[in-house]
C-alpha cells in the first residue's frame, strides 16, 4: 500500500504496486466560474466518492480562491512516486496553476485532506519577471524535489512553451527549467522519462487566440500548434521537433507508458481527433506515427462543415494495457487495448454523455473511470452554452478489465449545477494518494 514502510517516500515503488493501492475515497476538482455570469472566485471542490459514506456523491468541502477569473484548470503535486526513494518527502500540497491569471496556488491537503486550505500564492509577476513566462498549465513533481510547470504563453499573451521551476519546500519561483532561448513557440502538456534522458512537450495555441473562444481562422493563421518537442532531460535543451502535420493539429495530453523502461507513449490530437504513438527509434532519436483516427461528422449550421470528435483527454491504465480518451464534441468515451502498441484495438465505448465527456481519471485498479464535462470555460461557452448555464457533472463508468467494455454507473452522479453559488464548471480530477496522470516513475 502507499508508503506504509518507514523508509519510503510518497506514492508507490512501481506502477503495478500502485494498482494494488487503496480505493479512492475523495477526489479534488477545480471548479470554474470564469466565463459564467457568476461573479465568484474559482474554487477547489472535495467530493466524497466512497459508496459506504453517507456523503457519497456530495461536495463535502469548497476552498474558494481569493481572486476572480483565474481559470483554475489542471493540478499536480509537491511530491509523487518520482520521490518514492526519499522518506523525507510527503505528498501534502496540491499545486493549482491558473491558466488565464497566471497565478499558482499551493493548497495544503495534508493537514486535513477533507478540508483543504490555502498555503501559498505565487503571484503572476514572479512568472513574468523571473521567467518571462505566463499561462501555466501542467504541473509535475521531479525526483529532485522541485516542481516543474509548463506554460503556454509569454506575459503579452503570445505563444511560448517554457517551464517554470518552483522550490518544493518554499514554493518560490527558482527560474526557468529550459536553457535561455530554448522555449518552444507553443506549450501545453509534458511528460518526462529520465531512463531515456528525455522530456516531451505538446502545443495547444497562443493564449490570446484561444483566450475567449475558438476561431478556425486562427488555426490557418498559425496560432495553434501541431508539434511535439523533444528535450534532453539533463541539459534542458530542445533536441528534436516532431511535426505531426495537419492530422496532428493541437496535440494536447501526452502520456508515456507508465513502465519507466518504456521508450514510447501516446498523444491525443484534438482538432482532427487522432492519436499518435511516439517512440524512440533504433537510431536513438524520436519519431511519431498516427495509430487512431476518429472521422469527423458532417453537420450543418456549425463552426466548421465537419464536426471533429475533439479528443481532449487521454490516459493509460497503470498496467499499460488500456488507453482511454474522450471525444468531447461527439460525446463518447473509448477504451482501446494497446497491448500491440502500434495497433490499438477498440474494446469499449461509452455512448453519448450530455455536455460532452472531457477530463478523465481512472481508479488505481483500473476498474472505475471518472469523467467530467467541462473543457475550458471559453470553449464551453461557445460549443456547449447550456453547460455554462446548467453546470458540469461528474460521472463514473464501470470498466471491464478482462475483455474490455464500459458501462455507466447509474447510481453515481455529482451535479455541479446545484452548487451553492450557482452552476460551476468542474474540470480535472485528482486523488489524494496520486493517480495515473499525476505520478511518474523513475
Amino acid at each position: 500500500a502507499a508508503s506504509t514502510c518507514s523508509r519510503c517516500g510518497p506514492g508507490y515503488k512501481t506502477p503495478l504496486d500502485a494498482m494494488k493501492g487503496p480505493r479512492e475515497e475523495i477526489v479534488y476538482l477545480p471548479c470554474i466560474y470564469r466565463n459564467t455570469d457568476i461573479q465568484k472566485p474559482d474554487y477547489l471542490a472535495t467530493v466524497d466518492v466512497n459508496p459506504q459514506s453517507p456523503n457519497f456523491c456530495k461536495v463535502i468541502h469548497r476552498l474558494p480562491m481569493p481572486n476572480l477569473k483565474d481559470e483554475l484548470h489542471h493540478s499536480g503535486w509537491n511530491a509523487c512516486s518520482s520521490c518514492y526513494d526519499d522518506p523525507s518527502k510527503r505528498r501534502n500540497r496540491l499545486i493549482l496553476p491558473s491558466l488565464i491569471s497566471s497565478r499558482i496556488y499551493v493548497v495544503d491537503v495534508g493537514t486535513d485532506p477533507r478540508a483543504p486550505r490555502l498555503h501559498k500564492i505565487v503571484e503572476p509577476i514572479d512568472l513574468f519577471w523571473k521567467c518571462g513566462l505566463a499561462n501555466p498549465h501542467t504541473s509535475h513533481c521531479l525526483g529532485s524535489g522541485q516542481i516543474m510547470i509548463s506554460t503556454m504563453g509569454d506575459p503579452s499573451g503570445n505563444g511560448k512553451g517554457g517551464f517554470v521551476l518552483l522550490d518544493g519546500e518554499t514554493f518560490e519561483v527558482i527560474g526557468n527549467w529550459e536553457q535561455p532561448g530554448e522555449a518552444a513557440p507553443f506549450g501545453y502538456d509534458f511528460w518526462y522519462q529520465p531512463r531515456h534522458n528525455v522530456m516531451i512537450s505538446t502545443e495547444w495555441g497562443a493564449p490570446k487566440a484561444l483566450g475567449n473562444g475558438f476561431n478556425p481562422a486562427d488555426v490557418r493563421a498559425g496560432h495553434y500548434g501541431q508539434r511535439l518537442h523533444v528535450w534532453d532531460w539533463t541539459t534542458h535543451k530542445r533536441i528534436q521537433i516532431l511535426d505531426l502535420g495537419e492530422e496532428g493539429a493541437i496535440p494536447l495530453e501526452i502520456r508515456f507508458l507508465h513502465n519507466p523502461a518504456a521508450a514510447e507513449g501516446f498523444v491525443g490530437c484534438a482538432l482532427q481527433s487522432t492519436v499518435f504513438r511516439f517512440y524512440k527509434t533504433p537510431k536513438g532519436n524520436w519519431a511519431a506515427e498516427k495509430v487512431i483516427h476518429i472521422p469527423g461528422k458532417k453537420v450543418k449550421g456549425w463552426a466548421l462543415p465537419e464536426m471533429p470528435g475533439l479528443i481532449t483527454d487521454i490516459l493509460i491504465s497503470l498496467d499499460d494495457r488500456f488507453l482511454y480518451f474522450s471525444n468531447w464534441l461527439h460525446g463518447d468515451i473509448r477504451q482501446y487495448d494497446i497491448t500491440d502498441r502500434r495497433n490499438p484495438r477498440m474494446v469499449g465505448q461509452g455512448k453519448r454523455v450530455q455536455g460532452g465527456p472531457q477530463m478523465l481519471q481512472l481508479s488505481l485498479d483500473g476498474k472505475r473511470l471518472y469523467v467530467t464535462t467541462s473543457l475550458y470555460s471559453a470553449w464551453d461557452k461557445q460549443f456547449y452554452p447550456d453547460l455554462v448555464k446548467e453546470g458540469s457533472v461528474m460521472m463514473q463508468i464501470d470498466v471491464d478489465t478482462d475483455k474490455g467494455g464500459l458501462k455507466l454507473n447509474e447510481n453515481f452522479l455529482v451535479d455541479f449545477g446545484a452548487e451553492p453559488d450557482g452552476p460551476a464548471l468542474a474540470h480535472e480530477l485528482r486523488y489524494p494518494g496520486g493517480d495515473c496522470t499525476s505520478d511518474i516513475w523513475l
Side-chain angles (χ1 to χ4, degrees):
S3 310
T4 45
C5 66
S6 56
R7 297 180 305 285
C8 302
Y12 303 86
K13 190 175 181 185
T14 69
L16 294 178
D17 287 342
M19 288 191 85
K20 302 184 194 104
R23 182 183 169 127
E24 65 286 352
E25 294 188 1
I26 55 172
V27 300
Y28 302 124
L29 306 93
C31 292
I32 290 87
Y33 277 132
R34 181 178 167 264
N35 273 312
T36 70
D37 293 333
I38 297 165
Q39 297 297 311
K40 293 278 184 177
D42 298 349
Y43 59 98
L44 182 70
T46 306
V47 175
D48 189 324
V49 294
N50 176 1
Q52 265 61 62
S53 162
N55 292 317
F56 181 51
C57 284
K58 290 199 173 79
V59 179
I60 56 170
H61 186 268
R62 298 168 186 87
L63 174 69
M65 299 302 121
N67 297 282
L68 294 176
K69 299 183 173 28
D70 279 313
E71 190 86 39
L72 296 182
H73 197 61
H74 285 214
S75 62
W77 292 108
N78 64 319
C80 76
S81 296
S82 64
C83 303
Y84 181 77
D85 290 339
D86 184 349
S88 72
K89 294 276 186 284
R90 281 182 62 227
R91 187 195 307 261
N92 57 8
R93 300 286 183 269
L94 190 65
I95 314 298
L96 283 171
S98 304
L99 194 61
I100 297 299
S101 73
S102 299
R103 272 184 199 89
I104 300 168
Y105 295 103
V106 181
V107 174
D108 172 2
V109 294
T111 308
D112 183 352
R114 291 175 173 269
R117 55 191 76 176
L118 199 54
H119 175 71
K120 185 183 169 75
I121 305 174
V122 179
E123 290 296 341
I125 215 82
D126 287 342
L127 273 66
F128 299 167
W129 290 359
K130 291 183 184 175
C131 304
L133 296 172
N135 310 102
H137 186 272
T138 298
S139 172
H140 278 303
C141 39
L142 310 185
S144 65
Q146 293 176 332
I147 295 156
M148 180 167 162
I149 304 173
S150 59
T151 68
M152 288 176 47
D154 69 9
S156 301
N158 308 301
K160 190 176 182 185
F163 304 88
V164 175
L165 282 177
L166 298 187
D167 183 285
E169 300 293 324
T170 65
F171 305 102
E172 292 291 327
V173 174
I174 298 167
N176 300 61
W177 176 86
E178 76 280 5
Q179 294 286 355
E182 291 282 324
F186 300 109
Y188 183 72
D189 195 22
F190 73 103
W191 198 281
Y192 63 88
Q193 202 46 286
R195 290 197 198 181
H196 299 285
N197 191 36
V198 73
M199 182 270 281
I200 302 182
S201 64
T202 64
E203 302 187 325
W204 185 2
K208 268 199 300 205
L210 58 87
N212 294 312
F214 176 71
N215 182 348
D218 285 331
V219 178
R220 294 191 289 279
H223 298 316
Y224 284 90
Q226 59 180 43
R227 287 160 297 199
L228 303 182
H229 299 277
V230 183
W231 304 75
D232 183 303
W233 187 239
T234 314
T235 64
H236 305 189
K237 288 189 168 161
R238 202 153 44 113
I239 50 172
Q240 210 185 329
I241 296 170
L242 301 178
D243 191 329
L244 304 179
E246 276 189 23
E247 285 190 310
I250 314 187
L252 295 179
E253 309 296 333
I254 185 162
R255 314 288 186 204
F256 265 90
L257 296 182
H258 295 287
N259 175 358
E264 60 184 321
F266 297 90
V267 59
C269 304
L271 198 56
Q272 299 214 6
S273 303
T274 54
V275 175
F276 277 72
R277 169 184 172 252
F278 60 88
Y279 58 97
K280 195 176 187 175
T281 72
K283 288 193 303 207
N285 64 351
W286 293 79
E289 59 180 356
K290 183 181 73 169
V291 291
I292 299 172
H293 174 233
I294 309 298
K297 294 182 175 175
K298 295 227 181 311
V299 285
K300 284 190 178 143
W302 197 70
L304 300 164
E306 272 206 358
M307 181 190 282
L310 215 75
I311 294 177
T312 45
D313 195 17
I314 73 168
L315 59 76
I316 297 172
S317 62
L318 286 167
D319 55 6
D320 292 332
R321 198 179 145 209
F322 293 116
L323 170 82
Y324 299 87
F325 63 79
S326 52
N327 282 312
W328 189 57
L329 291 178
H330 288 182
D332 68 322
I333 296 163
R334 300 190 181 205
Q335 176 191 24
Y336 284 75
D337 184 320
I338 52 168
T339 317
D340 178 350
R341 311 291 183 208
R342 298 193 67 184
N343 297 290
R345 198 166 50 82
M346 188 164 87
V347 291
Q349 188 172 18
K351 289 285 195 230
R352 285 298 309 170
V353 169
Q354 200 53 46
Q358 213 279 308
M359 290 311 291
L360 306 174
Q361 193 51 266
L362 189 65
S363 60
L364 296 177
D365 63 9
K367 296 192 168 156
R368 291 169 301 286
L369 187 67
Y370 293 93
V371 187
T372 58
T373 49
S374 162
L375 168 65
Y376 156 63
S377 67
W379 289 23
D380 292 351
K381 190 174 178 176
Q382 182 175 359
F383 294 113
Y384 286 113
D386 288 350
L387 188 63
V388 175
K389 289 193 202 87
E390 294 165 16
S392 65
V393 296
M394 172 178 164
M395 291 163 290
Q396 189 192 73
I397 290 168
D398 293 322
V399 180
D400 182 333
T401 52
D402 294 331
K403 300 186 201 64
L406 302 176
K407 187 170 177 290
L408 184 69
N409 177 351
E410 303 280 353
N411 299 316
F412 185 103
L413 183 73
V414 184
D415 179 7
F416 290 93
E419 285 295 88
D421 283 329
L425 300 167
H427 193 59
E428 198 193 35
L429 309 107
R430 281 274 166 261
Y431 308 140
D435 48 61
C436 65
T437 57
S438 69
D439 281 39
I440 293 179
W441 281 268
L442 304 188

